[in-house]
Amino acid sequence: CNLTGWWKNDLGSKMQVFKVSSDGTFSGEYHTAVSSTKKPIQPSPLTGSQHLDEDGQCTFGFTVNWKKFSDSTAVFVGQCFRGDEGKEVLHTSWLLREKVDSEPEDWKATR
């Protein structure tokens, strides 16, 4: 699976991976289509690592720092599959950590 290029999810968010290095590390930008902030959404930097696998169904993970419009950070983990007609498809899970004002509010900080 070659993560380099543009990817789009079911909610309309897009991710661009600039280049995957020979050791599997990569960087790019995430263009989210959804946000709970009232500030205008902006593209956000991402950094990650891909497990390079011979069968092409690699696992990967990346972090997105929403620093341009939010006080939150998200991490994604996933795997690439060969879908219908050989098309590459990514399946991911994510966690979002939002900043809270105090430790007693920690319970509501992660989704």
Side-chain angles (χ1 to χ4, degrees):
C1 182
N2 184 355
L3 292 179
T4 301
W6 284 95
W7 297 89
K8 183 177 179 181
N9 71 13
D10 296 341
L11 298 175
S13 296
K14 295 183 282 187
M15 170 178 77
Q16 182 182 18
V17 175
F18 300 138
K19 178 184 176 186
V20 179
S21 68
S22 60
D23 68 354
T25 58
F26 60 89
S27 63
E29 283 188 332
Y30 200 94
H31 303 248
T32 188
V34 295
S35 175
S36 62
T37 184
K38 293 180 172 51
K39 295 179 182 177
I41 295 173
Q42 296 183 39
S44 299
L46 68 84
T47 56
S49 182
Q50 174 182 353
H51 180 80
L52 303 172
D53 229 347
E54 290 182 17
D55 70 1
Q57 298 192 136
C58 66
T59 59
F60 59 89
F62 60 92
T63 301
V64 179
N65 185 332
W66 310 108
K67 65 183 175 185
K68 294 182 178 181
F69 66 93
S70 175
D71 288 334
S72 61
T73 303
V75 292
F76 294 76
V77 293
Q79 183 172 350
C80 182
F81 294 96
R82 291 268 179 208
D84 297 337
E85 301 170 14
K87 183 179 177 182
E88 294 175 332
V89 177
L90 306 181
H91 285 261
T92 61
S93 296
W94 56 270
L95 288 172
L96 176 76
R97 175 65 187 217
E98 294 179 300
K99 180 181 173 183
V100 291
D101 294 327
S102 65
E103 186 178 356
E105 295 178 296
D106 185 61
W107 66 270
K108 66 179 182 179
T110 303
R111 292 192 262 166

